[in-house]
C-alpha cells in the first residue's frame, strides 16, 4: 500500500482546521452531560481540562510519527505489527470508524429534519436532502485526500466554532451565570477528576489513532503540536457544552438542550450539527478508506472512499426509520476496546524504541508478523476487557501505559534483532 502524500507543506491554519474539523463531533456532548450530572461544576471543569491536557499529549504523540515519516498510520502499523499483522489493526480501525459514520450521517439528517415544519412531508425530505449532501461532501473529501479535507475544513470550521460559542454562552446564561454554576451540587457525586478525564479521552481513543492521517504534509513539528492542542480543544468545548447544558436543562444531547433553550438557539444548534457533521465525515472517510485499503491491500482507497459512505448513509436511514441507535452501540463499544492498546504501542514505538527517528520500510519488505507488537497489543486488549468488567479509575490510561511499556521493554531486550521480528 502506498500513495503519494502532500508535497506542499501545510501551515498552522490548514492543519489546525483539519484537526478541529475532525474533532467537531456532537457525539461528545452527551458524555459531557454525564460529567455535569455526576460532579460539581468545579470538579467537572477540572476533569475536562485534564482530559484536554492528556488528549493533546496523546494526539501530538501519535501524529508526530506520521508527520516525521510523511506517511499514513497504516504504514506505521505495518512496520510495527508486520504486513499481515497490520491488516488486523487496520481492519478493526476501519470497521469501527465506518460504523461511527452512520451516527454522523444520522445526526446531520435528523437536524435538518427537526428544522422542517411539523406534520409535513418536508421533514422526511429534509432528512433525505441532508444525507445526500453529507454523502457528497464526504466522498469529495475522502477521494481528494488531505487536500479535499483541507478545503472543506478551512471553509466551515470558523463558522462552527462561532456557533458553538454562542450555544455555550446561552447555556451558561440559562444555568443562572457563573455564580449559579459554582454553587451547583449534583444529586449524587459519581464522577471524579480522573474519572471525568477518562470519559473524555476514552471515547476518543479510536479517533486519536485515526487523526494520525492528517499530519503528513505539516510544515513542521510545532504545527502538529498546535493543531493537536486545538483539535482536542474543540472536544473540550463539546464537553463543556454538555456539562453546562445538563446543569441548565437536565438534558444531555445537543438537540434536546437547544430545544429546551428555545428561540434562536434551537436554530443555531441544529445548523451547527449539520455543519459539524459536514466537517467530521470527510476526514473520517480519509482515515477509514486508508485502513480498508491496507486491510485488503488494494492499489487505491478510492473505491472504499465512495462505497463506504453510501453504505453508512443507508444505515443512517435504518437508524432513523427502523432499528434505532442501540444495535450500533454494541458493535462500536466492543471494537473500540482495541484502540487504547494500539495507542500505547504506537506511542512506545515512535518515542522510546525508534527514538523519534523511525525507519519505514515498504510493506513488501516486511515480515508477515512481528511478534512483539502483536503480543503486546493482544495483552493490552485482554487488560482492556478485564477493565470492562472490573471498574478501575483511569483504566484507559493504565492500558495505554502498560501496553506501551510492555512493547518497549520487549523491543529493548531483543536489541539489534528488533527490526527483523
Amino acid at each position: 500500500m502506498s500513495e503519494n502524500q502532500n508535497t506542499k507543506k501545510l501551515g498552522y491554519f490548514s492543519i489546525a482546521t483539519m484537526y478541529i474539523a475532525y474533532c467537531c463531533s456532537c457525539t461528545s456532548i452527551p458524555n459531557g452531560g454525564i460529567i455535569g450530572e455526576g460532579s460539581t461544576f468545579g470538579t467537572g471543569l477540572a476533569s475536562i481540562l485534564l482530559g484536554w491536557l492528556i488528549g493533546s499529549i496523546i494526539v501530538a504523540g501519535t501524529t508526530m510519527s506520521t508527520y516525521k515519516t510523511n506517511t499514513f498510520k497504516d504504514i506505521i502499523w505495518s512496520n510495527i505489527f508486520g504486513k499481515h499483522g497490520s491488516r488486523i489493526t487496520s481492519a478493526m480501525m476501519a470497521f469501527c470508524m465506518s460504523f461511527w459514520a452512520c451516527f454522523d450521517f444520522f445526526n446531520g439528517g435528523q437536524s435538518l429534519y427537526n428544522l422542517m415544519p411539523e406534520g409535513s412531508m418536508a421533514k422526511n425530505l429534509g432528512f433525505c436532502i441532508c444525507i445526500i449532501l453529507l454523502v457528497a461532501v464526504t466522498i469529495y473529501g475522502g477521494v481528494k485526500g488531505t487536500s479535499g479535507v483541507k478545503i472543506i475544513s478551512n471553509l466551515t470550521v470558523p463558522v462552527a466554532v462561532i456557533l458553538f460559542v454562542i450555544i455555550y454562552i446561552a447555556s451558561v446564561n440559562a444555568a443562572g451565570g457563573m455564580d449559579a454554576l459554582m454553587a451547583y451540587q449534583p444529586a449524587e457525586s459519581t464522577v471524579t477528576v480522573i474519572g471525568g478525564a477518562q470519559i473524555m479521552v476514552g471515547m476518543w481513543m479510536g479517533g486519536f489513532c485515526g487523526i494520525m492521517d492528517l499530519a503528513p504534509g505539516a510544515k513542521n513539528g510545532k504545527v502538529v503540536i498546535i493543531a493537536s492542542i486545538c483539535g482536542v480543544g474543540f472536544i473540550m468545548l463539546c464537553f463543556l457544552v454538555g456539562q453546562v447544558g445538563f446543569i441548565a436543562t437536565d438534558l444531555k444531547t445537543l438537540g434536546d438542550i437547544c430545544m429546551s433553550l428555545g428561540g434562536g438557539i434551537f436554530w443555531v444548534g441544529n445548523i451547527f450539527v449539520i455543519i459539524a457533521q459536514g466537517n467530521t465525515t470527510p476526514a473520517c472517510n480519509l482515515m477509514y478508506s486508508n485502513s480498508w485499503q491496507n486491510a485488503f491491500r488494494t492499489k487505491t482507497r478510492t473505491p472504499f472512499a465512495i462505497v463506504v459512505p453510501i453504505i453508512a448513509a443507508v444505515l443512517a436511514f435504518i437508524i432513523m426509520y427502523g432499528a434505532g441507535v442501540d444495535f450500533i452501540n454494541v458493535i462500536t463499544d466492543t471494537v473500540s476496546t482495541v484502540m487504547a492498546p494500539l495507542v500505547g504501542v504506537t506511542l512506545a514505538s515512535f518515542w522510546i524504541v525508534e527514538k523519534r527517528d523511525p525507519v519505514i520500510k515498504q510493506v513488501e519488505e516486511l515480515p508477515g508478523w512481528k511478534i512483539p507488537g502483536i503480543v503486546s497489543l493482544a495483552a493490552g486488549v485482554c487488560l482492556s476487557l478485564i477493565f470492562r468488567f472490573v471498574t478501575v479509575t483511569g483504566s484507559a490510561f493504565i492500558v495505554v501505559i502498560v501496553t506501551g511499556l510492555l512493547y518497549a521493554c520487549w523491543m529493548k531486550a531483543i536489541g539489534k534483532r528488533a527490526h527483523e521480528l
Side-chain angles (χ1 to χ4, degrees), residues 133-151:
L133 290 175
L134 285 175
V135 168
V137 170
T138 302
I139 291 175
Y140 174 81
V143 171
K144 295 291 288 185
T146 305
S147 61
V149 174
K150 181 190 72 172
I151 292 171

Side-chain angles (χ1 to χ4, degrees), residues 10 13-23 146 149-150 153 214:
L10 302 177
F13 182 76
S14 294
I15 296 292
T17 54
M18 287 194 296
Y19 276 50
I20 293 171
Y22 171 62
C23 296
T146 305
V149 174
K150 181 190 72 172
S153 301
L214 299 182

Side-chain angles (χ1 to χ4, degrees), residues 176-188:
M178 291 302 300
D179 290 339
L181 287 175
M182 294 304 298
Y184 167 76
Q185 293 292 327
E188 183 180 1

Side-chain angles (χ1 to χ4, degrees), residues 35 38-39 43-44 46-48 189-199 393-394:
I35 293 176
S39 64
T43 298
S47 72
I48 292 170
S189 294
T190 57
V191 178
T192 63
V193 173
I194 296 295
Q198 173 165 299
I199 291 173
T393 302

Side-chain angles (χ1 to χ4, degrees), residues 16 83 94 134 138 155 192 240 248 253 292 302 333 359 372:
K83 62 183 176 184
L134 285 175
T138 302
L155 290 174
T192 63
L240 290 174
T253 69
W292 282 125
T302 300
D333 285 347
V359 176

Side-chain angles (χ1 to χ4, degrees), residues 106-229:
F106 166 74
N107 286 334
Q110 189 182 47
S111 292
L112 191 53
Y113 176 96
N114 291 339
L115 293 175
M116 293 299 175
E118 291 291 339
S120 71
M121 287 300 295
K123 280 190 168 294
N124 294 326
L125 181 61
F127 184 85
C128 294
I129 291 174
C130 190
I131 294 293
I132 292 171
L133 290 175
L134 285 175
V135 168
V137 170
T138 302
I139 291 175
Y140 174 81
V143 171
K144 295 291 288 185
T146 305
S147 61
V149 174
K150 181 190 72 172
I151 292 171
I152 296 168
S153 301
N154 288 351
L155 290 174
T156 57
V157 161
V159 178
V161 171
I162 292 171
L163 291 178
F164 221 59
V165 170
I166 292 172
I167 296 170
Y168 184 73
I169 293 173
S171 298
V172 171
N173 290 335
M178 291 302 300
D179 290 339
L181 287 175
M182 294 304 298
Y184 167 76
Q185 293 292 327
E188 183 180 1
S189 294
T190 57
V191 178
T192 63
V193 173
I194 296 295
Q198 173 165 299
I199 291 173
M200 180 173 167
V201 176
M203 74 162 293
W204 272 92
M205 280 297 183
F208 291 164
C209 291
I211 204 170
M212 293 167 67
D213 283 349
L214 299 182
K219 188 175 182 179
N220 54 52
K222 292 180 181 178
V223 169
V224 174
I225 293 172
I226 296 299
S228 300
I229 293 171

